[in-house]
Amino acid sequence: MSATVCLALTGASGLPYGLRLLECLLGAGCRVQLLYSQAAQIVARQELDFDLPSRPADAKAALLARFPGVDGDRLQVFGREEWFAPVASGSNPPDAMIVCPCSMGTLAAIAQGLSDKLIERAADVVLKEGRKLVLVPRETPFSAIHLENMLRLSRAGAVILPPSPGYYHHPQSVQDIVDFVVARVLDQIAVPHTLMQRWGEDR
């Protein structure tokens, strides 16, 4: 059976990573449960000139139009307080969850076990049910508070994966750099991909 992955987009810079992840997850046949914050809508417009509508049904239509050819039946989009979404309960957790990009506010809320919004509740569910949680924090520099929150989450079982691209694959474009980070995220949840050549493979 294909994996069910909850993907959350928050208000940090780095929406190109999140949308590329969505495209790759759907392309790999995963079922994706998409969550997004109000700040993520602002960042999407700023970084990608992409209007991410507030209504989940409209957001799904806009995303499927952006990624023609993917299986739209595998994408579910939920509102910020849609508490009857599967991800809100430990009785129906996803196989994995990715928060990409992950703002420091969202990271702090998850680290403290706060669940005022569906994104934080979903992350809480994933941690307590022992599923894989991958956080992609996009901030620099990190303060001591940021680092302490990351350490707390790492000790709780989360994967902290800052978008720090390598250059040994000789990237020729911004898309190559984005794909490097997305490849590392997909590796963490065991989703196959061909985004880049792996270290030690023939060039």
Side-chain angles (χ1 to χ4, degrees):
M1 295 179 63
S2 59
T4 298
V5 179
C6 177
L7 173 61
L9 313 175
T10 70
S13 179
L15 252 293
Y17 298 119
L19 291 191
R20 181 65 165 145
L21 263 172
L22 175 60
E23 181 182 18
C24 291
L25 289 168
L26 292 172
C30 297
R31 293 184 295 271
V32 180
Q33 299 165 326
L34 183 70
L35 316 177
Y36 58 96
S37 69
Q38 186 175 17
Q41 295 175 265
I42 297 170
V43 176
R45 192 174 303 113
Q46 172 69 24
E47 295 187 343
L48 296 168
D49 291 323
F50 177 60
D51 184 20
L52 186 58
S54 296
R55 290 184 65 249
D58 295 340
K60 177 176 178 177
L63 289 164
L64 293 179
R66 187 178 179 90
F67 304 126
V70 301
D71 185 353
D73 291 337
R74 292 185 172 274
L75 175 62
Q76 292 178 289
V77 183
F78 297 104
R80 287 183 286 276
E81 297 184 356
E82 198 165 336
W83 297 111
F84 285 103
V87 293
S89 172
S91 68
N92 197 6
D95 297 306
M97 179 174 180
I98 305 162
V99 185
C100 178
C102 183
S103 69
M104 292 300 99
T106 299
L107 188 141
I110 297 170
Q112 301 305 316
L114 304 179
S115 298
D116 291 341
K117 298 291 188 294
L118 185 58
I119 290 174
E120 290 87 350
R121 172 56 184 168
D124 192 47
V125 165
V126 167
L127 280 176
K128 78 183 185 70
E129 297 298 328
R131 306 297 173 91
K132 179 67 74 77
L133 174 64
V134 181
L135 306 176
V136 184
R138 222 307 305 164
E139 184 63 273
T140 191
F142 293 126
S143 73
I145 294 172
H146 300 154
L147 293 169
E148 287 169 359
N149 284 334
M150 290 181 207
L151 180 58
R152 184 171 188 168
L153 284 165
S154 180
R155 286 173 172 163
V159 174
I160 309 298
L161 198 158
S164 303
Y167 293 89
Y168 55 82
H169 63 305
H170 302 289
Q172 301 298 305
S173 65
V174 172
Q175 188 63 53
D176 290 342
I177 295 172
V178 169
D179 282 354
F180 181 97
V181 172
V182 170
R184 299 283 72 78
V185 176
L186 294 174
D187 286 346
Q188 285 295 319
I189 61 171
V191 171
H193 63 85
T194 57
L195 290 177
M196 58 166 291
Q197 191 173 38
R198 295 185 181 276
W199 181 260
E201 292 181 346
D202 292 335
R203 304 192 68 81

